[in-house]
Amino acid sequence: EKASDMKSYISEELNMKFHIRENVRDYVNSSGGTDEVTDLSSLCPQLIHVACVCAGHNASRDVVTLVKSVLFHRRNPLHFHFITDTVANRILSSLFQSWMVPSVQVSFYDADELKSEVSWIPNKHYSGIYGLMKLTLTKALPSDLSKVIVLDTDITFATDIAELWGIFRKFTDKQVIGLVENQSDWYLGNLWKNHKPWPALGRGFNTGVILLYLERLRRIGWEQMWRLTAERELMSMLSTSLADQDIFNAFIKQNPVLVHQLPCFWNVQLSDHTRSEQCYTEVSDLKVIHWNSPKKLRVKNKHVEFFRNLYLTFLEYDGNLLRRELFGCPSQASPETLQAALEELDEDDQCYDFRRERLTVHRVHLYFLQYEYTPTEDDTDVTLVAQLSMDRLQMLEAICKHWEGPISLALYMSDAEAQQFLRYAQASEVLKNRKNVGYHIVYKEGQFYPVNLVRNVALKNANTPYVFLTDVDFLPMYGLYDYLRKTVVQLDMAHTKKALVVPAFETLRYRLSFPKSKAELLSMLDMGTLYTFRYHVWPKGHAPTNYAKWRTATTPYKVEWEPDFEPYVVVRRDCPEYDQRFVGFGWNKVSHIMELDAQEYDLMVLPNAFMIHMPHAPSFDISKFRSSSSYRNCLNTLKDEFHQDLSRKYGSAALKYLTAQRNI
């Protein structure tokens, strides 16, 4: 009930903000049309700068929830400054590029270049070397940046960040840093016998939320001052326990005039045994919540259920809703080329929705979970590449048991579904022990399943020389990974254009004793336990594989392309991408095989490889295809346009496709 109330509260606030902005916009536009009124750029609020240190897969997920909470409440343009390692840079740069939030700028700074500044400081805190990076911000951030709000990734905002930015105006001429008092007894030194914390002023200060007056810090020689402080204290303390916070506090103890104490509701610290409950009496008092305990959401606090619901609301909040324009600020979200393409669309075209979908930019969060991969020395490695949605999640464990090699999966999900997937993966003994699986979230938007866009995300983020392009509802035979690695060498895949066809079969049984060999599979085929894939529904899709020949084949054999052929293949990673005009059901794989053939790939069927399709309920898209004549008509239109594009791209090599299409 509390969670429901909180979500209702946030939704109502969002609607209220939206309607206020729209009413102001309507008023301005109806005020006579003078230049003074219609030039809204002068009304755009001040740009606010926010800095975060972010390293690794987990922190990259956490910071998204922080950013959502800031974007939800904000009325100002924002410039985020991220100090990142290589992993976080790759994840967040892709995310923000695809998110395209209006009036948001993002800059990245290489944490590796800053490590030498702090690596000499022994640190016992779980944040490691990155927990010391905030000390380097005067050096890391642009020299002309005068002020910045610095946030930990485990922060949730409950108000407009402009209120916090406005506190800079309350600084005295000498104050250079704004902090909230620490709400635990850590710096009082009475938590246990012989507890000896770093020196601090009174209870000390928490560095989860910092106002840094960079211009003034540079003027007083901050870099030298914090170094001297750290060197002096390390003579007796030997290491930091709370990373940068210890050094900030020792510095403030020596220079108390330089700190501006913020009201404690700007950093309500939810670690165990804190005085955080004294920071608020009503919900409206809350400004910033800080999950600064290693226990995170499991922390002990009288009102933790309320705080948890607030956090979970932003965790699962649809990030697409945060793409709204800011009143008075010029639009920076859509590239001009995209905007021009959207304007060229004919809304009266019966296939408008299909064409509009192709131009939709979906948010993409790469490497949603921990990912580790070490390239093989022989350059023969193969990544299994597939896409899925929430209704196919149950296939993941089985695939991981059948394929021990690297996997690149793109998952088409809402924000809430992505969190369900995260909980599922973290609870699965099979999945949580597999670090060579890259999970890439493509966030839902629009009415179609952009299947080829999702496939391309998985394909582009494979890290091996070769890729096995499959679907998630197929189980590869045991040992296929090793077999393929040997085959790519035998067939000289590195120097020739080949697509290795893995013959596809299917079962109608939900429980199957999976065949351990080709001989066992053939026996099951003869008994009617297995069938060649789609033989009874769509035989053209796989007939060119020539299953009769495969039964007795002992060496790879070449087959010719035929209309509607859509085998599952192993190719080099530099193969053409899938054509993204095909969304939902129909021709998404067929078009890709056609392009491989147009590029003169040899289609080679593997004699000792197989994969089996497992039964499942029909997808929503195939139901639309079967029930809607306009859907089918548009698919035919897209086919014709694809043929024409193929002819323009490959010339005479593509003429056979036009001829084949006319003969169908």
Side-chain angles (χ1 to χ4, degrees), residues 174-187:
K174 292 184 178 180
Q175 289 173 341
V176 298
I177 184 169
L179 293 164
V180 169
E181 185 179 54
N182 202 47
Q183 289 156 22
S184 78
D185 292 343
W186 178 269
Y187 287 108

Side-chain angles (χ1 to χ4, degrees), residues 100-241:
M100 297 198 311
V101 184
S103 303
V104 168
Q105 303 171 51
V106 183
S107 298
F108 293 94
Y109 309 86
D110 188 354
D112 287 341
E113 295 181 1
L114 300 169
K115 284 183 177 179
S116 61
E117 301 289 322
V118 292
S119 59
W120 56 275
I121 304 172
N123 178 28
K124 293 180 180 177
H125 193 257
Y126 62 83
S127 59
I129 193 168
Y130 299 102
L132 298 162
M133 291 280 177
K134 283 183 281 188
L135 296 165
T136 72
L137 290 180
T138 53
K139 181 174 183 177
L141 299 178
S143 58
D144 59 349
L145 183 58
S146 63
K147 298 189 289 287
V148 69
I149 295 172
V150 186
L151 303 172
D152 280 355
T153 59
D154 54 0
I155 290 288
T156 305
F157 265 76
T159 193
D160 191 340
I161 197 171
E163 294 180 44
L164 181 59
W165 184 262
I167 295 178
F168 275 116
R169 294 194 297 270
K170 298 181 179 180
F171 278 34
T172 66
D173 291 343
K174 292 184 178 180
Q175 289 173 341
V176 298
I177 184 169
L179 293 164
V180 169
E181 185 179 54
N182 202 47
Q183 289 156 22
S184 78
D185 292 343
W186 178 269
Y187 287 108
L188 298 181
N190 58 8
L191 292 184
W192 59 81
K193 187 178 180 180
N194 299 325
H195 172 218
K196 186 185 177 187
W198 276 54
L201 192 65
R203 305 188 67 84
F205 293 90
N206 183 278
T207 56
V209 177
I210 315 176
L211 298 188
L212 281 188
Y213 216 126
L214 297 171
E215 182 181 12
R216 294 180 182 178
L217 283 165
R218 294 187 185 105
R219 209 158 50 223
I220 65 171
W222 163 252
E223 289 179 37
Q224 184 180 14
M225 292 179 77
W226 75 255
R227 281 175 174 275
L228 290 173
T229 300
E231 288 170 357
R232 181 182 66 247
E233 298 303 331
L234 284 169
M235 297 283 286
S236 58
M237 298 302 300
L238 303 181
S239 68
T240 61
S241 295

Side-chain angles (χ1 to χ4, degrees), residues 287-324:
K287 304 290 187 183
V288 172
I289 300 162
H290 185 188
W291 302 90
N292 63 319
S293 165
K295 297 179 183 178
K296 299 305 178 189
L297 299 188
R298 301 186 307 277
V299 70
K300 295 176 183 176
N301 180 282
K302 188 165 68 174
H303 303 111
V304 70
E305 196 64 32
F306 175 81
F307 294 127
R308 188 184 292 122
N309 287 331
L310 179 65
Y311 173 81
L312 292 175
T313 299
F314 289 119
L315 187 73
E316 300 183 354
Y317 191 79
D318 183 353
N320 298 326
L321 299 177
L322 299 168
R323 283 171 162 166
R324 62 186 186 271

Side-chain angles (χ1 to χ4, degrees), residues 91-106:
I91 294 170
L92 295 178
S93 59
S94 169
L95 176 65
F96 278 97
Q97 186 178 2
S98 58
W99 201 345
M100 297 198 311
V101 184
S103 303
V104 168
Q105 303 171 51
V106 183

Side-chain angles (χ1 to χ4, degrees), residues 36 56 83 91 103 141 163 212 217 243 249 265 292 311 326 418 429 460 467 504 535 545 554 580 584 607 631:
E36 290 79 11
I83 292 83
I91 294 170
S103 303
L141 299 178
E163 294 180 44
L212 281 188
L217 283 165
N249 273 291
F265 49 62
N292 63 319
Y311 173 81
L326 286 187
E429 289 297 326
K460 286 186 283 191
V467 288
Y535 84 100
T545 299
T554 56
Q580 293 180 189
Y631 190 111

